[in-house]
Amino acid sequence: MTTDVQPLSGLTVIDFTQVFMGPSCTQMLGDYGADVIKVERPGTGDISRTSIPDPAGLDNPIFLSINRNKRSIAIDTRTDEGRQVIHELVRSADVVVSNFRTGVMERLGLGYEALRAVNPRIIWASGTGFGAEGPYAHKGGQDAIAQAYSGVMWRRVSDDDPVTLYPTTLCDYTTGMHLLQGILLALLHRDRTGEGQKVEVSMYDSMLHMQMQEACQQLNRGSEINWAAMPLTGVFPTTDGALIMVGGFKSNALHHISRALELDEDLSERPEFATLDLQFAHRPELQRIFAEAVARNTTDHWVKRLEDEDILCAPVRSLEQTLDDEQTAVNNMIVEMDHPVAGRIRALNAPLHLSATPAEVRRVPPRLGEHGAEVLGELGYTAEQIDLLREKGVLR
């Protein structure tokens, strides 16, 4: 389905972002109609263009996954001519987005105050590791670092388990979506008042906010809540894989688990498991009983048994299996594009399903600097001026 007008049609975004946090935000803006102009470093571009070796080189799957619906201009912003181009872009733009370390945009002469002087209506949005001030403001933001600083990495199912890294970029994605929310809120405010503003998010704050329940429990009761360590919840190997069982949201879940797992007795009638506090105290024994039972049959067998008792459960699957699942297709979560370098590519679609204005792929992810002349031409630069910028190495 192609729509004539998307929610963000007519919006121009100047995108300085790279890697994942920022590009995930600006791709979403592009998916819903914004004209996203990606400003990249001459020669190398966005760091994600070189993050993995790939036959497509700078147009590898990592870059392609989060940079569709954008136009690329490769320009040296350290030069006076490069900064002048940016100012010309900002003059008619709506949003400027970056995710550099704190202070980098200011040192480039592209901070909020400098760009607000060019365009008072500009929304200047920044995502950093820790925020603009404070003892960690100078540190670079990175997913694993944010996991460690925020307390997320420390929490695990058992104190005996090693502290480990969550392997998906949870912090980057969460912060990117908070950055998106901030931009949309600022746009609403500007529609009502005519005022632009600064929008700032950090990975540190985003990961703290994700733990709002745990933090409130800690702040007010001085105790830790760990949803993964609930006594009737766990991941258990089966004869052909593994499943997760979540024994919650029922008045006597242990009774139903005992029936589903075909146990010889109703564990809820044993005095040592009679209350939630006692189940916590005897969690190792409960988990052992569950594990021994589940290990006797297949994943499908136990999923059916548990679901028949209305106990939440799921098979533990690989990403490959999930991508091949019918539900993924029904939800229209995979889009296909023809790229001039990478060929036919498949990537994940936006997860927001709007009935009147669904996400669209209007542009495949850009080659480095692909749209430089086009963008400058729209600003009024002549062919001779564009050629001169190329000769000076300002534009590539």
Side-chain angles (χ1 to χ4, degrees):
M1 176 180 179
T2 300
T3 57
D4 293 331
V5 179
Q6 285 284 80
L8 302 178
S9 293
L11 190 80
T12 299
V13 178
I14 312 304
D15 178 10
F16 289 92
T17 68
Q18 55 184 337
V19 190
F20 186 39
M21 177 228 290
S24 67
C25 164
T26 53
Q27 176 169 273
M28 193 79 80
L29 293 171
D31 281 352
Y32 292 95
D35 178 17
V36 180
I37 301 173
K38 186 176 180 69
V39 180
E40 300 193 69
R41 292 173 297 175
T44 57
D46 185 330
I47 293 173
S48 66
R49 287 189 182 273
T50 55
S51 60
I52 62 167
D54 187 80
L58 299 182
D59 300 289
N60 65 72
I62 302 303
F63 176 82
L64 297 175
S65 69
I66 46 178
N67 285 287
R68 64 174 173 262
N69 290 327
K70 302 178 186 183
R71 297 192 286 168
S72 172
I73 177 171
I75 194 159
D76 190 347
T77 55
R78 298 168 300 178
T79 64
D80 291 339
E81 295 97 331
R83 281 189 293 272
Q84 181 59 38
V85 169
I86 300 303
H87 285 180
E88 293 298 328
L89 284 168
V90 169
R91 206 175 305 280
S92 58
D94 299 281
V95 183
V96 171
V97 193
S98 67
N99 64 328
F100 298 125
R101 290 192 190 206
T102 295
V104 169
M105 287 290 279
E106 287 76 10
R107 289 194 293 273
L108 289 171
L110 304 174
Y112 175 56
E113 295 301 331
L115 296 188
R116 185 173 68 164
V118 175
N119 179 356
R121 288 171 52 83
I122 201 69
I123 292 163
W124 188 93
S126 170
T128 61
F130 296 91
E133 299 178 350
Y136 307 141
H138 66 285
K139 291 178 175 289
Q142 196 274 339
D143 201 274
I145 303 303
Q147 289 183 41
Y149 264 105
S150 66
V152 169
M153 187 181 290
W154 181 255
R155 194 178 305 109
R156 58 259 197 226
V157 175
S158 167
D159 290 340
D160 295 331
D161 295 336
V163 176
T164 189
L165 173 69
Y166 184 71
T168 297
T169 50
L170 178 73
C171 312
D172 270 319
Y173 181 75
T174 303
T175 311
M177 294 304 99
H178 285 164
L179 187 59
L180 174 67
Q181 291 173 22
I183 291 168
L184 296 177
L185 289 170
L187 286 167
L188 282 173
H189 173 77
R190 193 183 68 178
D191 283 347
R192 294 168 180 168
T193 67
E195 299 175 346
Q197 63 177 297
K198 181 191 292 187
V199 175
E200 295 180 297
V201 302
S202 72
M203 299 175 79
Y204 188 81
D205 292 353
S206 288
M207 294 316 295
L208 271 178
H209 195 255
M210 180 178 283
Q211 301 170 90
M212 59 181 75
Q213 294 177 313
E214 294 90 340
C216 197
Q217 178 75 14
Q218 185 68 51
L219 289 168
N220 293 282
R221 297 292 180 265
S223 61
E224 180 94 1
I225 193 80
N226 186 341
W227 300 113
M230 300 298 284
L232 307 186
T233 293
V235 178
F236 306 103
T238 66
T239 57
D240 61 353
L243 65 81
I244 183 167
M245 178 179 73
V246 180
F249 310 107
K250 296 182 77 68
S251 59
N252 187 357
L254 186 54
H255 165 73
H256 294 278
I257 290 171
S258 299
R259 286 176 41 167
L261 298 187
E262 302 165 350
L263 301 180
D264 294 333
E265 60 178 323
D266 181 352
L267 296 180
S268 68
E269 295 180 353
R270 286 173 53 170
E272 65 267 38
F273 303 141
T275 67
L276 181 61
D277 285 342
L278 287 168
Q279 289 171 9
F280 268 112
H282 295 276
R283 183 178 186 276
E285 183 179 355
L286 276 171
Q287 294 283 302
R288 178 186 58 77
I289 293 171
F290 298 157
E292 289 176 353
V294 172
R296 293 195 292 264
N297 217 316
T298 65
T299 302
D300 286 347
H301 172 84
W302 293 123
V303 167
K304 184 179 186 309
R305 291 283 306 174
L306 288 162
E307 287 184 342
D308 285 347
E309 293 291 330
D310 197 26
I311 295 295
L312 293 172
C313 62
V316 178
R317 302 190 308 185
S318 67
L319 176 59
E320 181 180 15
Q321 291 173 311
T322 302
L323 292 173
D324 196 42
D325 193 287
E326 181 185 358
Q327 190 68 56
T328 302
V330 169
N331 289 359
N332 193 31
M333 282 304 297
I334 295 178
V335 294
E336 297 191 10
M337 300 167 277
D338 288 314
H339 191 275
V341 175
R344 189 69 170 169
I345 58 172
R346 297 193 297 166
L348 289 185
N349 204 354
L352 309 178
H353 303 288
L354 279 64
S355 62
T357 54
E360 294 178 353
V361 178
R362 304 182 318 281
R363 295 178 180 273
V364 299
R367 290 166 290 161
L368 178 59
E370 178 182 353
H371 303 97
E374 176 181 299
V375 170
L376 291 183
E378 293 170 358
L379 295 176
Y381 281 74
T382 66
E384 290 76 14
Q385 289 173 316
I386 294 171
D387 287 341
L388 182 59
L389 289 175
R390 283 176 171 153
E391 290 174 10
K392 292 183 175 181
V394 176
L395 180 73
R396 300 283 181 88

